[in-house]
Amino acid sequence: MSVWNPENVVDVAESIGITSLNRDVIDHLARDVEFRMSQVLEEALKFMRHAKRTTLTTQDISQALRLLEVEPLYGYESTRPLRFGEASIGPGQPLFYVEDEEVDFEKLINAPLPKVPREISFTAHWLAVEGVQPSIPQNPTQADQRNQELSAKGPGANSTLAAVSGNDNVSVKPLVKHVLSKELQLYFERICSAILDDSNDEYRAAAFASLRTDPGLHQLIPYFVQFVADKVTHHLRSLFILTQTLLENPSLYLAPYVPSIVPSVLTCLIGKHLGSPSLDGTTTHFALRDYSASLLSSIARKYGPSSSTLKPRIARSCLKHFLDSHKPLGTHYGAVLGLTMIAGADGVRELILPNLKAYDAVLQEAVRDDARAEEAGYVIDAIKKALDMLGEDHAELRGALGEVLASRMD
Amino acid sequence: MAQQPPPSRTASVGPPSAGGMNAPATTPGGGQGQNSNQNLNQIVLEYLSKKGYSRTEAMLRKESANTDANGQPIPSRVEDTGGKMYSSTFNLVQNWIESSLDIYKPELKRLLWPIFVHSFLNLIGDFYPRDGQEFFTTFREPFEAEHEDDLRALAPIHEPEHLQQNNIAQLYRHNKYRLTMSHMAYTSLVMFLEQHEREGGMVVLHIVQNFLDIRTVDRQTAGGQKGLQRLLAERNGEQDAPAEDEGIPGHNPGSANLDRNAPTVLLKLSLGPMPMEADLMEDVKAELQDHDSAHPPAGAQNTLVDEFEQRIKREPMDDVPSRDLLPFPPSTARDVAMEVQKVKENRDRFRTEGRTGGVGPGISVTMFTFHNTFDSINCIEFSGDNSLVAAGTAESYIRVWSLDNRALTSRTDSPSYQPSSSRRLVGHSGPVYALSFSPAVAIPEPATNGHTSNTTSTDSQPRYLLSSSADTTIRLWSLDTWTNLVVYRAHQSPVWDVRFCPHGHYFVSSSGDRTARLWSTPQIAPLRLFVGHDSDVETVAWHPNGAYIFTASGGGDRTVRMWDIVRGSAVRMFTGHTGNITSLACSPSGHVIASADDRGEIVLWSLPTGRLIKRMRGHGRGGIWSLDWSVESSVLVSGGADGTVRVWDVQENKELQQGKVVGEGGAGTKIDGAGGAVGGAAVAKSKAKKDVVVSPDQISAFPTKKSPVYKVRFTQMNLVMAAGAYLP
């Protein structure tokens, strides 16, 4: 009549030396054991619920026993499943027991430490935007949610209430079109032509002034960003100023576009050939690189905190170009400059210093070549500047390295 | 009848020992004795007829007919059948209720559960364990749906001494189960029981008298709740939920006074916002004026000062709690900055209106998913300025992360400390079950270059964190030094929940010792004890004005209670949940409390009237871990163990009005009719498949990928932040 088998009580009684037990007593004890167990389970369920779990663990039982002032059971941990062994004490009388492995102490001590479990971390994503769940990898697909009851059905269901959530039966959704007003389109065309027009400086200055202060340009930002990305290789300087003016405009919120702006600026910093040497002279591009480095550092300062991967990404691409000896010296110059601006003294110590020795060979070759000696000078200047940042406590180191570099120049 | 002696055990089929002792000694010469008995009767009868005592003879004949062949009296009263009587009685009542008039059936059906429980407890108490178990297994089925937990707790009771130790049994034995029914239903019940007095009517009557507290109401005057229309709607058994005043202890709807003769007058509540300190108000006003002159409001916006004035002056003055009764430390510059920011956000916020034109608002939800947790996270909490997130673990430590990847440092760090964006707080010796940050409002850094940067200045960050644990302590942690400041010990059981007052300084905790306690951070002893719940106090919540708290319990109690923290007394009580209550949230307007249980039901209660507003279903089983309201109190959002975040419309349903409209309209009726038919089929189908039915109040539901949602929170700008652990 009780779930707990009275035979069990007999077994336990025999094990402590009581052989003759009245049948009634056995029944009574079996019923009582069942009641006590359910008491423990009731308490354990509370612990499970407050741990916001739906499975009961051995830990919950231990906690419940402690609460009921019973000594907890030791040796059962919840991390590995219990394995039951089976032994037969007669036909049709299987006996189950928990397997208790014998462990060799020597082996246990000498065994390599188990791997440290991975750290708890969190990620963020949009579960819903304005009542609609975006279909991104972090959200379940339609197929996953089929077995869940998500929307109201039945006679009382109010379909209009749920209309926004996209759970209604409308299968076709109009694509959202970005509608630009006529004025904005006109404005955009004029500004673009003004910026690309090299002949009229006044016209261009007016365009930049407008971009810098106009508060109503938010709709045009993606177009400007695209425009810069498309034309950056042709009209370096003016597009560059365009980017800067957008960044300076106090009423624009650029954070979402930073990932698309950075590549254009990086191009100006570490591009192979900037401008045409015949027109602007061979060294003018260094000024542009200086300029873009400062712009990049201001971007990183402003948006670095909101995007944790921004700085590492920039530093990585700079480092990659710095280590590539086939790239022209101008690129190296830009890369060193970028690393100095983005990563600071620590970056110089970690990223530039260890590579200087290898880079020495590249420089040496360049210094010997008359055509590139001037460029090499710029690079050395940049490296020197970077080393300056390392501060006073590294004065010795810098002195030694500086001597080496100076001797190469002579 | 009240003190009915336990029925004779002679006819018991209980344990052989019990029966054996009292069994009549059957003499070996039983047959002969019987003969002599028969003969004796014969002789006496003959003697009587000879003497002409015809009346006495008739009487003797009549009376002797009631004995069986053995001369034992045949039991005519059901009480004499011992343990069997409850089964036959219960059967009788059940059959009668099934065949009673439809309009009384829903009311009478509510009777079955308490009769079932007490029949079972009587059986066990009178030492009929076998009969008791038989009774229990035979009749438990109809109650599975609603009283699953209670059944589970009652099932293992076998012995009278178990009655003393089982919480549920004690609860039912020592309290009266309150039930409300209409006059007519009650009268017909009593008439039926009296008619069938011999077949068990008295047994039921005995239970009703001793353990039930039946209130009768007039159906006409009661209206609404007990109205005919409501009853007819419930006839299909779709809404088989307990009435809001049913159960133990039951209550006068809205009042916390349990006395039978208590007047139905409700205590008046001061639900308005807490008035501001005079000094603080001056400072805030001055600050706002500065802001207005520096940044004149654009376009149609109000000036900040106007906004502030509106906010203060909106409430009538008799509705607000008195500030004198609830002392707070004097305000600081940080308080001023926080208040100023609140006013600003109040003006600039994206408003979430209730359903506009019948369409629910679109809500944006950011989900923070925790990985590699191995199910060890017990609770997650966001700070008020959205800069920190904390998680309490089963391994007794607390871990705090900064959401914007900022390093969490302190001035007391040793120079060798590697700053990182997370810190561990170690101190508890048991699983951590609840966390609460001291109030904070995100104060953006003075805008540089016009860009309001997302990084918040460090001085807006909350300064304290409270945690509660299974080791029965509550700990206060400093977020400046990242160390434990105070240990509060007074609870005798695991502390399930702890919440900071919306104005800081005070906090309230709830525990397995069936109490909730009010503390102030500088004192290590509790200031108030809130006693009254009959089982674990599972969760607590504050009223937004800080003058009241709400507690909710699970186990056999399942009530939500509202307490005045100044007087320490209960002012409202709400019953009607069928599962353990897992979370509570009071609307920012201060007039509605939402409570959710682990059976996936959310219930809204009105505070001024103390009545149930509506029940909302949709979540799967397993607990709704968190609730929160939008700042305008127009939308409720919930997250639970089924891995969904759901958005609910909180407007009161006007079912009756809708019914009328259907009656009137031409085309409207048609559409409604068709929709109803199709919907009905869908319900029937889904019911067959699964037991979750989504109520029409749900605006939307967002499933996650295998991540139970532990926490949902509306920010001051009406964005929802949700957090959960990914459990592959």
Side-chain angles (χ1 to χ4, degrees), chain B residues 61-118:
Chain B
R61 273 182 197 281
K62 192 182 166 195
E63 289 194 343
S64 60
N66 252 345
T67 54
D68 61 8
N70 284 338
Q72 298 284 333
I74 295 172
S76 60
R77 282 154 45 88
V78 71
E79 281 88 336
D80 298 334
T81 58
K84 292 279 180 240
M85 75 174 171
Y86 288 103
S87 299
S88 53
T89 312
F90 194 76
N91 240 330
L92 182 80
V93 177
Q94 208 173 18
N95 289 338
W96 175 69
I97 288 175
E98 275 307 317
S99 61
S100 66
L101 280 174
D102 268 355
I103 49 168
Y104 301 132
K105 213 190 272 181
E107 293 177 82
L108 291 171
K109 261 189 175 167
R110 309 298 314 169
L111 262 173
L112 284 173
W113 167 248
I115 292 178
F116 169 78
V117 173
H118 285 290

Side-chain angles (χ1 to χ4, degrees), chain B residues 537-717:
Chain B
V537 186
E538 308 258 346
T539 175
V540 287
W542 281 88
H543 189 272
N545 70 13
Y548 301 96
I549 62 155
F550 302 91
T551 58
S553 67
D557 188 35
R558 302 194 196 104
T559 55
V560 177
R561 297 176 197 224
M562 180 183 189
W563 310 80
D564 184 329
I565 68 165
V566 176
R567 278 173 294 178
S569 58
V571 287
R572 291 282 188 279
M573 183 159 82
F574 308 102
T575 53
H577 272 286
T578 54
N580 300 302
I581 299 169
T582 50
S583 88
L584 281 175
C586 186
S587 71
S589 68
H591 287 78
V592 184
I593 174 98
S595 58
D597 62 30
D598 63 355
R599 296 168 65 91
E601 193 172 61
I602 301 172
V603 187
L604 299 181
W605 313 89
S606 158
L607 296 182
T609 61
R611 305 302 291 257
L612 186 144
I613 298 177
K614 65 175 172 182
R615 293 169 185 271
M616 304 189 289
R617 285 171 205 264
H619 271 287
R621 306 181 63 103
I624 296 172
W625 304 131
S626 184
L627 292 171
D628 203 12
W629 292 80
S630 71
V631 185
E632 290 88 8
S633 304
S634 54
V635 166
L636 181 75
V637 62
S638 65
D642 63 346
T644 55
V645 173
R646 289 173 196 256
V647 186
W648 305 91
D649 177 51
V650 296
Q651 258 179 39
E652 195 165 354
N653 286 343
K654 305 220 165 52
E655 288 164 58
L656 297 179
Q657 284 183 13
Q658 276 175 5
K660 269 180 202 158
V661 171
V662 172
E664 283 169 17
T669 320
K670 231 179 183 174
I671 292 165
D672 274 3
V678 172
V683 163
K685 225 191 273 169
S686 70
K687 256 202 169 167
K689 238 181 354 193
K690 41 208 143 184
D691 53 351
V692 185
V693 178
V694 179
S695 56
D697 311 300
Q698 179 181 295
I699 297 172
S700 38
F702 309 115
T704 62
K705 257 189 182 171
K706 291 178 189 160
S707 317
V709 181
Y710 292 172
K711 178 78 192 169
V712 287
R713 176 172 171 271
F714 262 105
T715 67
Q716 285 295 309
M717 304 302 267

Side-chain angles (χ1 to χ4, degrees), chain A residues 31-32 36 50 137 150 252, chain B residues 159 162 165 451 538 698:
Chain A
R31 288 197 292 263
D32 201 54
R36 304 292 154 196
H50 284 278
L150 287 180
L252 297 185
Chain B
E159 311 281 345
H162 294 167
Q165 288 170 26
H451 294 264
E538 308 258 346
Q698 179 181 295

Side-chain angles (χ1 to χ4, degrees), chain A residues 202-240:
Chain A
E202 201 177 324
Y203 193 22
R204 197 190 288 181
F208 285 139
S210 160
L211 280 179
R212 193 168 285 138
T213 51
D214 202 318
L217 296 181
H218 204 270
Q219 300 233 302
L220 286 175
I221 292 180
Y223 297 92
F224 277 122
V225 170
Q226 186 62 34
F227 175 68
V228 172
D230 286 348
K231 305 279 169 79
V232 69
T233 42
H234 307 292
H235 301 269
L236 285 170
R237 186 170 292 273
S238 41
L239 287 176
F240 212 67

